[in-house]
Amino acid sequence: MDLGSGIRKALARITGASVVDENAVKELVKDLQRVLITNDVNVKLVFQLTKTIEERALKEKLVPGLSLREHVVSVVHAELQKVLGGKFEPRLGKQKILLLGLFGSGKTTSAAKLAKFYQSKGLKVALIAADVYRPAAFDQLQQLSEQVKSGFYGVRGEKSAVKIAEQSLEELEGKYDVLILDSAGRSAFDGALAEELKEVANAFKPDEKFLVVSADLGQVAGKQAQEFHSTVGVTGVIVTKMDGSGKGGGALSSLAVTGSRVAFIGTGEKITDIQPFDSTRFVAELVGFPDLASLLDKMKEASDEESVQKAIAEGKLDFESFLAQMRAMRKMGPMKQIMQMLGVYDLPEEMVAQSEEKMKAFEAAVLSMTPAERKNPDLMKSKTRQTRVAKGAGLKEDDVRELIKNFEKSVKMMKQFKGNKGLLKKFGKMMPNFKI
Ligand SMILES: Nc1nc2c(ncn2[C@@H]2O[C@H](COP(=O)(O)OP(=O)(O)O)[C@@H](O)[C@H]2O)c(=O)[nH]1
Ligand SMILES: [Mg+2]
């Protein structure tokens, strides 16, 4: 059983138990131990982790408002996050990145994925082919660079990686923001590889030295990272193939234990399948969103007016039901938290603040509408009505128009959600999209 479903199952037992007592917690701990060990997490670490979970779950004073069940679940989340490391914030400026790793670890693929990632942040990226041992390496990287539309530098047939590194700087520096050098691998880490990497690093002077390892390595990942680190220095690790391996948890935890920082994780074969590592997000995706159940409860509580729910379920939104939903959301907590519970991370602060402000403006506008206007959004297409509402709400006319436009967009979106099954639908019905 993979790590995610194993942990979810273990937690489901506790969320389904009629009483959560010491016995239930002990059962949970046993289940977790089994799952973690099968996923190649170090046995000693597993026992430490589960001991902490048991102690915290049973001894800590409950946070007011939290049931013992919720407390246990949140302790498990928090401790898993700790064991898996922290959060990597990629630098988003000019930089040189050296990729290291053994054959087949996913180095070349990761080079292209990183190119795409940094490009999406508005940076100009070039890839450098310096794997001089594999004849096909040049073509592979060149093709990938065409695919992602990045710059490319390589010298076909050149046998010195150091020369390529030097020449690439002459050719590319100043023209690109991010240079990513794909170095040669070996089938095992040895003195020759260490020597070559040192020389390449001397020539290239990288800001980041990312070691690429495959999640299949499980616990061995930590050991490998230590080897590379002690000889050539590693600033971060990219763990690839998290999608296909039952050992991802083992790899991540062993890296955390050895003090290696996980920088990115590769989650598939597509060029976009990469993300900066964030243990909070990782655990949330792995185990499910910790607060989902309570979020749904709060949503229900906050908008239990049946007519409103019905209108939304049918995709018939008007200003009144829309406002009710917004107020419901505000009752649930800060925007940022809600978005995180829904799996939306990386929301810039100013966007969060802006969307809170938009909610307030929208409320003011709806309150300035007549009951007829609230029930019949089409009426608000009239300019004179818009002017009147803007005055009443203390808003600019443009703002009112924008709010109406966003409302229309949301209605459209809800209609799309309608007919879709699953969680998305559930949320689509409940969450108005007010353009954040
Ligand atoms: N499923 C999956 N496959 C990956 C991932 N990263 C790399 N691969 C595959 O692993 C194989 C080796 O990758 P490559 O980049 O050539 O490794 P290199 O020898 O280190 O340069 C290729 O078939 C890739 O498609 C990943 O995150 N998920
Ligand atoms: Mg390669």
Side-chain angles (χ1 to χ4, degrees), residues 195-214:
E195 210 38 57
E196 177 175 317
L197 288 173
K198 270 191 221 162
E199 285 173 16
V200 171
N202 274 338
F204 190 58
K205 303 204 169 34
D207 304 289
E208 300 282 13
K209 286 184 241 176
F210 288 152
L211 171 68
V212 182
V213 298
S214 160

Side-chain angles (χ1 to χ4, degrees), residues 100-111 113 131 134 137 140 144 182-183 185 212 214 239-245 265-270 273-274:
L100 342 156
L102 300 181
F103 282 152
S105 57
K107 228 173 339 93
T108 306
T109 315
S110 298
K113 286 179 176 180
D131 179 350
R134 284 188 156 175
Q140 188 193 357
L144 285 167
D182 183 21
S183 70
V212 182
S214 160
V239 184
T240 62
K241 306 181 202 178
M242 285 298 294
D243 51 313
S245 169
I265 53 175
T267 53
E269 296 204 29
K270 285 198 310 290
D273 291 335
I274 193 164

Side-chain angles (χ1 to χ4, degrees), residues 354-367:
Q354 206 191 16
S355 59
E356 305 262 5
E357 214 162 88
K358 285 217 170 111
M359 259 160 90
K360 279 190 202 135
F362 187 84
E363 186 166 5
V366 175
L367 292 176

Side-chain angles (χ1 to χ4, degrees), residues 128-132 153-172 181 196 198-204:
I128 302 159
D131 179 350
V132 291
Y153 184 82
V155 187
R156 199 191 286 278
E158 172 59 65
K159 285 288 167 219
S160 159
V162 174
K163 264 197 196 148
I164 295 174
E166 283 166 352
Q167 288 166 7
S168 73
L169 292 182
E170 281 169 30
E171 191 65 31
L172 305 171
L181 187 140
E196 177 175 317
K198 270 191 221 162
E199 285 173 16
V200 171
N202 274 338
F204 190 58

